Amino acid sequence: MTGTELLPGASPTVAALAVIGVVILEAVLLYAGYGILEDRLGPVVFEQIGRR
Amino acid sequence: MFALLGLTPGLFALFVVFGFMVGVFFGFFGMGGSFLVTPALLILGYSAPVAIGSSMTFVFGTAIIATMKHHDSGQVDYRLGALMFVGIALGIEAGSRLVFGLEMLGIAEAVVGIAYVFILAAIGLLFTRSALNDGADGGDGAESEAGVERDETSDDVPAIAQTIQSYEVPPMMTLADGQQASLWTISGVSAGVGVISGFLGIGGGFVRMPAIYYVIGTSLAAAVGTSLFTGLLSGGVGAFTYGRAGVIDLGIVTALLLGSALGARIGSGATAYVNEDDVTIYFGLMLLVASVAVALGEAAAWLSRPVLDQVSFVLLVGSALFVCAIILYHGALAVRQDRGPSTSP
C-alpha cells in the first residue's frame, strides 16, 4: 500500500505527508505500546535472567 | 489470498523478525537501517525506488522510536543534531553533484563502489583498532597512546577527540555533556558526512555516529543518541521526497516497524548495561565483513555473477545477526551480574 493508494486522487505532497503522518503515528503507538509491555514484563524478565 | 497490508503472512512475519534485528542494531549503534534493509528488499525483488524509499521511511520511523528511548536516558544533544543536519543537507547536495559529474565521465559506478568499500573498511579498522587498544591497555590505551590526560568530565571522550577539542578555534559551542567543540569542527564534520551520504547514496549513520564520537567528541551513548536524531531529520526529508514519488510501501514499513520498535527499545536499553568495549570490536569486525560484502556485490555486477550478490547478502545479514546476538548476550549477562547478588540465596 502506497501513499497514492492511501489517499486516491490526493496531490503528491499531501500523499507524502499522509505517509509521514501514518509512520509517526505508528512509531508513537508502538513506542507507547511496547513501553507498557516493558513496564509489565520487564521486571519479570530481569528476574528470570538474574536467576539463571 | 489473505494478505496483511498487501503482504502475505509469511513475508509480513519475515519483515517483523528482520525489523527486530535491525532495531536492536539501530538502538545500540545508531546506525544500520538503510545499510541492511535496502539490500534485503532488492534481493527480495523490489524495484530500487521502492526499496530505497521504503527503507528510508522505515529508518525515519525507527529513528523516532530510538530517539525517544535515548531521550529518556538524556543521551540526545538536540542542538548539535539540528546544527549537523544543516551541514549534512548541504553536504548531500555537494556529494550528489559530485556523482553526477563522475557520471558524465562514465566512472561514477566504479568510483562510488570502490569508495564505499574503502570507507567501510577504514571505519571498521578504526573501531577494531580502538577496541584492541582498549583491551590491551585496560581500557585506557587510546588515551595513554596519544599522551592526553583524561579529566572527569571527558572520561568517555576518545583521545583523538580530546586532542581536536584542545585546539580552541572560535566560535566554540558547549555540547549537552558540557564539552566544548569548535563550530568549525562541527560544520566540517557535518558537511563531510553529508558529502559521503550524498556521494554513496546512503543514510550515513555508520559515518555520522563515529564522526560525532571521534571528531566532535561526545560519549559513545550521546553520539548514538545524537546520530539517531540527525537520522530522524534526514529520514523525514527522504520519506517526503520518496513519498511524493508514490514509491513507499506502507506494508513493508509497518511490518519492519513492528519488529524494530521492540528491537530498538532493547538495543537502546542495552547501552545502559553493556560495556561498550565488549561490543565495539564486533562492530568494527562487522564493518570489515560488510566492506567485503559490498566488494563482492560490486564484483557481481562487473563479472555478471549473480551468485556473488547472494553471497554478499548472506555475509551482510549474517554478520549483522551475529553482532545482534552478541549485544543481546552481553545485555543478558550484564543484567544477570547486576541482579544476581540480590536474587541469589
Side-chain angles (χ1 to χ4, degrees), chain A residues 20-46:
Chain A
I20 290 178
V22 168
V23 172
I24 291 175
L25 187 69
E26 281 180 352
V28 172
L29 287 176
L30 286 169
Y31 179 77
Y34 282 130
I36 294 168
L37 206 66
E38 186 181 306
D39 291 342
R40 297 252 170 97
L41 295 180
V44 182
V45 173
F46 275 27

Side-chain angles (χ1 to χ4, degrees), chain B residues 223-251:
Chain B
V224 170
T226 309
S227 171
L228 281 168
F229 174 61
T230 314
L232 185 162
L233 298 176
S234 333
V237 174
F240 181 73
T241 309
Y242 281 91
R244 274 182 57 83
V247 292
I248 295 169
D249 189 321
L250 272 172

